[in-house]
Amino acid sequence: MNIIDIGSHNGKTASPTYRYTLNDKYKVYHVEPNPYLHEDLQKHNSTLLKYGVSDYNGRGKLYFDKRGFNNRQKGSHINKLTGMRSSFLKENEYLGSFLTDNFVEVDMITLDKLIDDLDLKKIHLLKIDTEGFDFRILKHYSWKIKPAKIITEDFIETKQEKYELLIIQGYNLIKSDNSDSYWQLEDQ
């Protein structure tokens, strides 16, 4: 079963997909544009794809978090380049307040191209946590392959539009917490 984790961060901290990397019946694809996180992700039983998923194919600027990230597993503070809020949305007033002017240019790919390049015919779970970019990714997706389950980050500015889109595509909201929503395709 195929699992796509877009915006994987380190693949472990608060990751709803980590448990799948422990089971060989799942094929997990970690999609993470931040090059400072790639070393951690290569330690997992998964395939690392070094892209930012977007609404276009090309290059983009990934801006880094001002606060950095506290690695609970190692009990240490990691540099600011691995921050939890690294984002492509520097122009967003809310997110921009968390970001530095430091960025790295990364390859960007659409969800359609990613799935086509992987030659996937079925997706068990699609997790998207892209610090405000989730709706843009889903809005520009063709839906030719519908994942059985979807987990997305709930960014307040696009939450309602994203919910409407997923309902139109045949998904039921299973649960929502402070930051994420969990969806299941109606006929699953």
Side-chain angles (χ1 to χ4, degrees):
M1 288 193 257
N2 297 308
I3 311 291
I4 299 175
D5 184 341
I6 298 171
S8 302
H9 189 63
N10 65 12
K12 199 167 188 178
T13 305
S15 174
T17 65
Y18 175 69
R19 67 185 171 103
Y20 295 106
T21 65
L22 305 174
N23 187 330
D24 287 336
K25 86 176 191 179
Y26 297 98
K27 177 69 177 162
V28 178
Y29 298 93
H30 280 124
V31 187
E32 175 57 54
N34 189 333
Y36 300 99
L37 296 169
H38 292 164
E39 184 179 337
D40 280 344
L41 285 168
Q42 289 172 332
K43 296 175 186 171
H44 297 291
N45 181 25
S46 63
T47 299
L48 171 60
L49 303 169
K50 301 174 182 180
Y51 298 112
V53 179
S54 181
D55 52 356
Y56 67 93
N57 296 307
R59 301 278 291 165
K61 293 179 179 178
L62 177 67
Y63 291 89
F64 297 113
D65 192 333
K66 289 178 181 175
R67 300 166 301 159
F69 170 66
N70 184 34
N71 187 329
R72 288 175 280 234
Q73 282 78 33
K74 295 181 182 174
S76 64
H77 189 74
I78 306 297
N79 76 42
K80 293 180 186 218
L81 300 178
T82 62
M84 290 293 281
R85 286 201 188 270
S86 298
S87 179
F88 298 108
L89 295 176
K90 176 77 169 156
E91 74 280 358
N92 178 278
E93 185 177 339
Y94 173 73
L95 281 174
S97 69
F98 291 99
L99 302 174
T100 68
D101 290 330
N102 297 326
F103 66 87
V104 63
E105 284 204 29
V106 298
D107 290 323
M108 305 292 281
I109 190 170
T110 63
L111 183 54
D112 278 305
K113 181 159 176 38
L114 176 71
I115 292 169
D116 286 347
D117 287 356
L118 293 172
D119 197 29
L120 299 179
K121 306 298 182 225
K122 264 185 118 172
I123 301 167
H124 175 70
L125 172 64
L126 171 65
K127 189 232 63 183
I128 306 175
D129 183 349
T130 57
E131 299 305 323
F133 224 65
D134 300 28
F135 176 65
R136 284 168 63 173
I137 292 168
L138 293 171
K139 181 180 172 185
H140 289 73
Y141 180 53
S142 70
W143 298 97
K144 63 185 175 185
I145 295 175
K146 291 191 177 187
K149 297 176 183 177
I150 297 176
I151 302 172
T152 65
E153 178 186 38
D154 283 342
F155 187 63
I156 195 70
E157 293 179 4
T158 56
K159 181 178 177 177
Q160 187 62 39
E161 291 173 294
K162 182 184 66 182
Y163 277 34
E164 290 170 7
L165 172 68
L166 289 170
I167 290 167
I168 288 168
Q169 292 301 326
Y171 288 88
N172 291 317
L173 179 63
I174 303 303
K175 84 173 190 178
S176 179
D177 58 28
N178 291 335
S179 61
D180 297 317
S181 56
Y182 298 75
W183 299 83
Q184 185 163 336
L185 197 57
E186 284 179 359
D187 59 356
Q188 297 294 310

